[in-house]
Amino acid sequence: MFFYDLQARGRATSTCRSYGMDLLRWFRFLWAIEVPWQRATRNEARDFCRWMLIAGKPTRSHWRQPDRPGGGTSTGEAYAPSVRAHCETVLRTFYDFHLEAGTGPIINPFPLDRQRRGGRAHAHHNPMDSYRNERAGLYRPRVPTRVPRSVPDAEFNEIFAKLSSNRDRALVAFYVSTGARASELLSVTQGGVDPGRQLITVIRKGSRELQELPASSDAFVWLRLYQAEMDGLIPTGRRQPLWWTLRRPVRPLTYHAVHRMFERAGQAAGSAATLHALRHTAAYRMAEDPDLPLTDVQLVLGHALLTTTQIYLTPGKEEVIRRVLAHHAEQVRQAAERKIPPPAPGYRPETLDVLFGRQAP
């Protein structure tokens, strides 16, 4: 019933899958301690949140190597705060739904924070300020605010040189020039490519609307080379997917395959950059262009709020380090070139040197 409700409200398939994975993690925990989900209390919810923080993520066997051991051991790496926060929100929503339907426990095991349950949200809100999310869960962890990480040009060139096919080069070139999300670029169809206008049409992740995005000319060159290689090997048609696997039999390219492709190229180049970092790189490049208004960057990136786009005005870590080191080097150079003025009449120079520590007595 819960997933029927999500589907009826127009939630994307990826959203339903994400909710399902969080619920599966919770149900496996309850099965291990032999507690029915209808009888779960706040104690089980607390222990589940502690387990995600302490136990670590489990290992899973690869689908190509099903006999490889995995699935029962822990990697020792704790779940990220964003994952734990998302899981807590999903479970609280799940039990709220069953509370209204009368099919779950009487009390939600994942309640809101005690400090907010007794009062009204935004009770003392300043009309001049934006609204904050004051409906935080009791077991919701604090998610640190991270500055988006872009890929430096030298590092990007090394990764690009390690790509093994024209399809991969075309994908990376489109990612870094359009700023599209990974799933959005994979939604492009063969009829959604307009080389004459240098535009591609993607399906936005949240709104599911069609939007044209401008791309660089290099990306279309790599795309044409990829299309020439796959001519006669993939289905053709305006509604057919643009990106296909290189391995036979050909299948539409998936997010996990693209993510693994870029991960292999990054490992070969000695880089820890992720696929989503290409979107941040494109955003930083566009935001640093003085001739490109920030509202245009917002439209290209598909942000609902301009404040989300403004985070790309924050200088990157590498750029800050470079400028600060240059500042220190300039201070050293100026100190070396600084001339000592001659002493005033009546003062002995050697006495002033001893007084100001320029020479030992």
Side-chain angles (χ1 to χ4, degrees), residues 259-322:
H259 185 275
R260 184 65 185 124
M261 172 272 296
F262 189 78
E263 190 178 42
R264 286 195 300 266
Q267 291 176 354
S271 171
T274 61
L275 183 63
H276 194 68
L278 296 179
R279 173 176 167 85
H280 297 322
T281 304
Y284 270 113
R285 290 180 179 180
M286 289 185 286
E288 291 174 355
D289 189 351
D291 297 330
L292 192 61
L294 194 62
T295 51
D296 293 352
V297 182
Q298 176 192 5
L299 179 63
V300 171
L301 296 179
H303 290 158
L305 302 176
L306 186 61
T307 53
T308 307
T309 314
Q310 288 177 346
I311 62 177
Y312 295 104
L313 298 178
T314 305
K317 181 182 66 175
E318 293 81 4
E319 185 67 18
V320 171
I321 293 176
R322 184 188 64 81

Side-chain angles (χ1 to χ4, degrees), residues 12 14 20 23 27 66 74 78 100 119 121 156 192 194 223-224 246 292 296 335-336 340-341 343 354:
S14 57
L23 287 172
F27 273 77
S74 174
E100 295 180 0
F156 174 79
D194 190 350
L223 175 62
R224 186 66 191 106
L246 302 178
L292 192 61
D296 293 352
I340 302 176
V354 174

Side-chain angles (χ1 to χ4, degrees), residues 178-198:
T178 62
R181 299 177 180 88
S183 59
E184 293 175 348
L185 187 59
L186 296 179
S187 67
V188 180
T189 60
Q190 297 179 16
V193 180
D194 190 350
R197 300 166 57 202
Q198 289 188 213

Side-chain angles (χ1 to χ4, degrees), residues 22 52 79-89 140-144 146:
D22 289 336
M52 292 186 64
Y79 287 93
S82 58
V83 176
R84 291 185 280 120
H86 184 269
C87 187
E88 189 273 341
T89 303
R140 182 181 179 87
R142 293 184 179 272
V143 180
R146 296 178 297 178

Side-chain angles (χ1 to χ4, degrees), residues 18-29:
S18 176
Y19 278 38
M21 298 302 293
D22 289 336
L23 287 172
L24 179 60
R25 189 181 298 116
W26 166 245
F27 273 77
R28 283 176 173 171
F29 177 82

Side-chain angles (χ1 to χ4, degrees), residues 89-327:
T89 303
V90 170
L91 296 178
R92 177 157 40 86
T93 305
F94 172 76
Y95 278 101
D96 282 341
F97 170 80
H98 283 284
L99 278 174
E100 295 180 0
T103 55
I106 301 177
I107 300 177
N108 192 333
F110 294 89
L112 294 174
D113 193 356
R114 296 186 182 92
Q115 298 178 358
R116 295 307 315 164
R117 285 187 297 146
R120 178 174 60 87
H122 310 294
H124 304 283
H125 172 68
N126 186 351
M128 301 298 295
D129 299 333
S130 59
Y131 284 94
R132 297 182 302 173
N133 184 16
E134 296 185 351
R135 295 180 59 84
L138 178 62
Y139 300 120
R140 182 181 179 87
R142 293 184 179 272
V143 180
T145 302
R146 296 178 297 178
V147 178
R149 180 185 181 274
S150 63
V151 183
D153 294 342
E155 183 178 347
F156 174 79
N157 293 335
E158 294 179 2
I159 296 175
F160 196 85
K162 297 298 181 179
L163 298 175
S164 58
S165 65
N166 291 326
R167 182 207 63 183
D168 299 344
R169 299 183 186 99
L171 277 168
V172 173
F174 273 112
Y175 277 128
V176 81
S177 62
T178 62
R181 299 177 180 88
S183 59
E184 293 175 348
L185 187 59
L186 296 179
S187 67
V188 180
T189 60
Q190 297 179 16
V193 180
D194 190 350
R197 300 166 57 202
Q198 289 188 213
L199 297 175
I200 60 171
T201 303
V202 303
I203 300 177
R204 280 303 183 185
K205 179 182 178 181
S207 62
R208 312 303 297 173
E209 295 179 354
L210 295 176
Q211 181 176 349
E212 293 181 334
L213 297 179
S216 64
S217 57
D218 293 341
F220 285 97
V221 172
W222 291 115
L223 175 62
R224 186 66 191 106
L225 294 175
Y226 157 66
Q227 290 176 330
E229 291 179 353
M230 303 298 290
D231 187 22
L233 301 177
I234 59 176
T236 57
R238 292 186 56 84
R239 296 187 178 182
Q240 291 291 340
L242 178 63
W243 310 105
W244 295 80
T245 60
L246 302 178
R247 185 174 299 175
R248 307 297 185 272
V250 293
R251 300 177 302 275
L253 199 61
T254 61
Y255 166 80
H256 298 285
V258 178
H259 185 275
R260 184 65 185 124
M261 172 272 296
F262 189 78
E263 190 178 42
R264 286 195 300 266
Q267 291 176 354
S271 171
T274 61
L275 183 63
H276 194 68
L278 296 179
R279 173 176 167 85
H280 297 322
T281 304
Y284 270 113
R285 290 180 179 180
M286 289 185 286
E288 291 174 355
D289 189 351
D291 297 330
L292 192 61
L294 194 62
T295 51
D296 293 352
V297 182
Q298 176 192 5
L299 179 63
V300 171
L301 296 179
H303 290 158
L305 302 176
L306 186 61
T307 53
T308 307
T309 314
Q310 288 177 346
I311 62 177
Y312 295 104
L313 298 178
T314 305
K317 181 182 66 175
E318 293 81 4
E319 185 67 18
V320 171
I321 293 176
R322 184 188 64 81
R323 288 202 292 253
V324 172
L325 291 178
H327 165 75

Side-chain angles (χ1 to χ4, degrees), residues 58-71 247 251 256-257 259-261 263-264:
T59 57
R60 295 180 176 87
S61 58
H62 197 274
W63 63 272
R64 292 178 183 169
Q65 300 174 350
D67 298 333
R68 185 177 179 180
R247 185 174 299 175
R251 300 177 302 275
H256 298 285
H259 185 275
R260 184 65 185 124
M261 172 272 296
E263 190 178 42
R264 286 195 300 266

